[in-house]
Structure formats: structure tokens, C-alpha cells
Amino acid sequence: QVQLVQSGAEVKKPGASVKVSCKASGYTFTNYNMHWLRQAPGQGLEWVGVMNPSRNSARYAPKFQGRVTMTRDTSTSTVYMELSSLRPDDTTIYYCARESGVLPKPLKSFDYWGQGTLVTVSS
Amino acid sequence: QSALTQPASVSGSPGQSITISCTGTSSDVGGYNYVSWYQEHPGKAPKLIIYDVSNRPSGVSNRFSGSKSGNTASLTISGLQAEDEADYYCTSYTSTTTPYVFGTGTKVTVL
């Protein structure tokens, strides 16, 4: 069965960086896009970016451009999201989510999600 | 980029049907058949319940159905059950620089 397992909660100081991992299993890793989204407690969802594990290419939301980097390790079927220059308003839960539909025909919805990683930014 | 507009809350009695609206623009909901809906229970990750406006993933109850008219998409839950009490979010692909826009979320309460 498809599973996405994320790394544990992090506490960081303003200005620091955080790297969150998402280990996939139960499917062919390079056949599906992997997205990162975030959700502040009690708030709506926000799209951060997407990694194409096959092409090793990423696309980021303009809001995070320059601060976010997504990478992947095909040997461990893991996608990483690193966010730098952290600010208190980056305190939120970060999710990885697989995009439905096998590449090169993704379906623009998110069919499997990780359990979420809480990142807290506080001095 | 503005979020899609959903009612903050919708409620219904067990067995009733409820409908949640999701209003966007011609650049998102009205322009693409890539509207999806997610159910989120407290402390849990979102779960896909509708994709491509009206398709249900395998394993999702047929009590959930989706539709779209113009710039507004809708999610209908029929035969409301206690387990349906959750937050629901719509999302749409969009032609703007951020390719996905999300709804403001709707809290469904089963009376």
C-alpha cells in the first residue's frame, strides 16, 4: 500500500533553515509528482511547490521562491523540502502529497498524503 | 491570488443531504475541470474524496458527489453520517503563477 512517512517535528529560531523529509513506499517513486503544502493550525491549505522525481526538477510558488529548495533521493525514495530564512509566520504543518496520475499525465489532485510535520519558528 | 470562497460552516441531521459550494473565477474553477475536494478530520491529514470535479477515488463512499457550474463547484454529501463531521476543502488548478488555489474551508457539523 502507498505510504508517505515524514520526518518529525522541528523547532527553529528565526533566520534558520529546516529540512523536512518524505519517504515514499508502495509504488514506483519516479512515476508520480510529489507536492509540498502547508497548513497553519485552524487555517486553510497553501501550495509550496512540486518535485518531479523522474526529471529531478522542481517548481515553487512565487511566495517561496528563493527560500525553498526541493530535492530527491531515488535510492531511498525520499523527497526533501528545505525552507530557509525562517520567520515566525512559517510556523505551520508541512505536508507532502503525491499527485494523482502517472507521469507524464498527472491529474492535478493529491491522492496520498504524509502525516504532516509541524515546524515551529520561535526565538 | 485569492482563495476560493466556501461557506464557513454547514450543518445537517443524520440522513439528510448537504451541499458545500466553492466559488472561484474563470482563471481557476471556471477554466479547468481540475477541481478536487478533501476531507480533513482534526489532527489528521487531508483525504481526497473527489477529483476532476466529479470523480470519486476507489474506496470513497458514493454518498459523496461533485459538480460544477460556471465558476462554482459543489460537493454534496447525501445520507449524512456522524463520521462525515469534518472540515472540507476544495482546490482548483489555476492559470496563475501559483498553479493550485485552495478553498477557505467548510466545517460540516452533524446535528
Side-chain angles (χ1 to χ4, degrees):
Chain A
Q1 71 284 19
V2 173
Q3 278 194 306
L4 303 178
V5 179
Q6 298 182 222
S7 50
E10 302 264 11
V11 179
K12 296 292 182 180
K13 294 192 181 302
S17 297
V18 68
K19 192 170 186 177
V20 182
S21 66
C22 171
K23 183 174 175 59
S25 61
Y27 70 97
T28 301
F29 177 67
T30 51
N31 281 359
Y32 295 83
N33 283 333
M34 189 74 79
H35 293 253
W36 289 91
L37 305 99
R38 72 181 195 176
Q39 184 177 37
Q43 302 298 312
L45 292 155
E46 184 175 26
W47 187 79
V48 178
V50 58
M51 157 63 70
N52 180 322
S54 178
R55 295 187 175 186
N56 194 24
S57 62
R59 177 183 177 185
Y60 309 126
K63 174 178 179 177
F64 302 102
Q65 193 78 37
R67 285 208 300 143
V68 67
T69 303
M70 295 178 186
T71 56
R72 60 63 164 140
D73 181 344
T74 56
S75 69
T76 59
S77 298
T78 302
V79 177
Y80 300 90
M81 183 207 63
E82 184 169 21
L83 189 63
S84 62
S85 302
L86 289 169
R87 307 186 288 251
D89 64 0
D90 290 319
T91 295
T92 186
I93 298 172
Y94 291 81
Y95 291 103
C96 60
R98 193 185 80 166
E99 182 173 354
S100 316
V102 178
L103 292 170
K105 294 186 177 181
L107 292 179
K108 307 190 190 312
S109 56
F110 313 111
D111 58 357
Y112 289 93
W113 295 65
Q115 82 276 21
T117 297
L118 175 63
V119 174
T120 302
V121 183
S122 175
S123 54
Chain B
Q1 182 180 22
S2 299
L4 306 176
T5 301
Q6 298 180 230
S9 63
V10 174
S11 62
S13 299
Q16 286 187 329
S17 293
I18 61 169
T19 296
I20 302 169
S21 61
C22 169
T23 301
T25 70
S26 58
S27 295
D28 39 63
V29 174
Y32 300 92
N33 287 324
Y34 290 129
V35 175
S36 51
W37 290 89
Y38 301 85
Q39 177 191 61
E40 186 175 3
H41 287 106
K44 301 290 187 181
K47 173 188 175 183
L48 177 65
I49 54 174
I50 294 288
Y51 68 96
D52 292 356
V53 176
S54 59
N55 294 303
R56 276 187 313 275
S58 174
V60 172
S61 172
N62 59 9
R63 298 186 298 104
F64 294 95
S65 61
S67 62
K68 188 184 83 167
S69 177
N71 295 337
T72 298
S74 299
L75 172 72
T76 297
I77 308 175
S78 58
L80 200 61
Q81 298 180 1
E83 67 206 46
D84 300 330
E85 190 161 288
D87 293 326
Y88 292 82
Y89 293 92
C90 61
T91 187
S92 174
Y93 185 77
T94 170
S95 59
T96 63
T97 52
T98 299
Y100 296 91
V101 60
F102 289 88
T104 49
T106 299
K107 181 175 182 59
V108 169
T109 301
V110 181
L111 302 171

